[in-house]
Amino acid sequence: MDRKTLLLLFLVVFVPSLLIRLHPTTSESFQYDAVISQMAAREGIVANAWDASGTYAMRRQHPPLLSYVIELNNRGFGDDPFRARIFSILFGSLTCLAVSIGIAALAPPSRIRLPAAVFGGWLVCLLPVHLYVSRTSNWDTVYGFFAVGSLVCMGRYLARESTRLLCAAALFATLAFLTCELGLFLLPAAGVLLLRDTTRLPAARVAARWAGMVLFMLVVIALLWPAGIFKLDLGRTLVFRWHDSWAAERNLPWYGFYTELFRQ
C-alpha cells in the first residue's frame, strides 16, 4: 500500500474516529472489569507479570497485558475519569484505522476499493458498542486492535507468503490473547494459514516455520506473563473463564440466550 493511501485513511478514518471518541463522557466511565484492572494496574508490571500480591484474583484471572496498558496510561496522563480513558480512546481509533487498512490491502483492485476501505473504517467508527467502549474505559478496544491487526497480517500472508507477516500475525495474536482470552478464537484463522501452507510448501519447511511461530509466541507469553507458564496460571485462567462464562449462575441466562440464538 502506498503512502498516499495510508495518509488518506489516517486523515479520513483515524482523525475523525479520535475526535468522536474524545467526547467528554464521564458517566459510567469505569465498567466493572475496568475497575478491577485499574486496581491491579496499581500493583505494577512486575506484580502482574508474576501474579503476585493478589493480582491474579484482582484481575479476575485475566491475563495481565491490560494492566500494563492501564499503568502506562495512568503514568502518562493520570487516572481521573477522563484521562484514564486516553489509551482506550486511542486503541479504539486505531482499530477503525486497522479495519480500513485491511480492506484497502486485501480487497481486489477496483475503483471502489478505497471508498470501501473508508466505509468499513467508518462502520466500526460509528458502531454503537465500539464507540461506547472506546469512550468509557472499557478496555475491550485494546484487545480489538490486536485481534484486527493479527487478522490483517494473516490476510496479507495468504496473499503474499512472508515470514515477517506471519511473525507479525503471531505477535498481534499473542498480545490479543494476553489482553483477553478471546484471542483463542483467532486459532481457526491460523488453521486456515497452516492448511494453505501444507498445500504449497514442503512438509519440512511447514513444520520448521510453524514450530518457530509457536516457540516465538511462547517466548512472548513467558516474557510478559511468566506466571502464566511457570505457575500454570494460563491453564487456571482458561478453566476459570469457561466456568465463569458458561457455568456460573449469574451468567447462565446469557449462555441460554446465545445458545438459542445460535440454534435459530
Side-chain angles (χ1 to χ4, degrees):
M1 184 184 302
D2 59 271
R3 294 182 180 180
K4 184 178 179 180
T5 301
L6 285 174
L7 179 60
L8 177 64
L9 293 177
F10 178 83
L11 293 175
V12 177
V13 176
F14 175 79
V15 173
S17 300
L18 182 64
L19 294 176
I20 290 173
R21 282 159 174 74
L22 285 174
H23 183 276
T25 302
T26 55
S27 61
E28 297 185 73
S29 287
F30 295 99
Q31 301 301 307
Y32 175 67
D33 283 347
V35 172
I36 299 299
S37 297
Q38 287 278 351
M39 294 170 61
R42 293 176 183 174
E43 297 292 320
I45 290 177
V46 174
N48 279 276
W50 286 100
D51 288 338
S53 305
T55 51
Y56 185 67
M58 194 181 298
R59 293 195 315 264
R60 296 184 68 241
Q61 282 85 344
H62 282 295
L65 188 64
L66 191 54
S67 299
Y68 306 164
V69 175
I70 293 174
E71 184 180 10
L72 291 173
N73 179 98
N74 294 350
R75 283 186 179 184
F77 300 102
D79 59 358
D80 63 76
F82 177 75
R83 295 180 183 180
R85 299 187 290 114
I86 297 299
F87 270 24
S88 181
I89 291 169
L90 180 61
F91 275 100
S93 305
L94 286 172
T95 302
C96 301
L97 179 62
V99 169
S100 62
I101 289 175
I103 295 173
L106 301 175
S110 69
R111 292 182 179 180
I112 66 169
R113 180 167 62 176
L114 187 56
V118 174
F119 181 67
W122 268 89
L123 280 180
V124 180
C125 172
L126 299 175
L127 186 69
V129 65
H130 193 267
L131 185 59
Y132 177 77
V133 300
S134 300
R135 284 177 170 176
T136 57
S137 273
N138 193 322
W139 299 88
D140 295 343
T141 51
V142 177
Y143 162 78
F145 170 70
F146 289 135
V148 170
S150 179
L151 290 172
V152 170
C153 291
M154 288 185 193
R156 289 291 291 163
Y157 179 77
L158 282 175
R160 188 185 69 182
E161 180 192 332
S162 168
T163 304
R164 291 183 179 180
L165 285 171
L166 189 59
C167 284
L171 178 60
F172 276 121
T174 307
L175 294 177
F177 173 74
L178 287 172
T179 308
C180 177
E181 302 80 13
L182 286 173
L184 289 174
F185 287 95
L186 293 169
L187 286 176
V192 173
L193 301 188
L194 177 58
L195 181 62
R196 176 71 178 274
D197 279 355
T198 58
T199 62
R200 63 178 181 176
L201 297 175
R205 188 175 176 185
V206 172
R209 175 173 294 181
W210 283 86
M213 289 302 103
V214 172
L215 180 61
F216 170 69
M217 296 173 76
L218 289 176
V219 169
V220 173
I221 293 174
L223 289 174
L224 297 178
W225 190 23
I229 294 178
F230 299 110
K231 289 187 176 182
L232 302 180
D233 286 345
L234 175 59
R236 291 200 297 159
T237 291
L238 297 179
V239 171
F240 175 86
R241 197 59 52 210
W242 172 82
H243 183 271
D244 185 60
S245 300
W246 299 336
E249 185 175 352
R250 65 185 177 86
N251 286 326
L252 281 177
W254 288 107
Y255 176 68
F257 170 76
Y258 286 122
T259 302
E260 182 61 28
L261 189 64
F262 177 77
R263 287 171 180 168
Q264 293 181 14

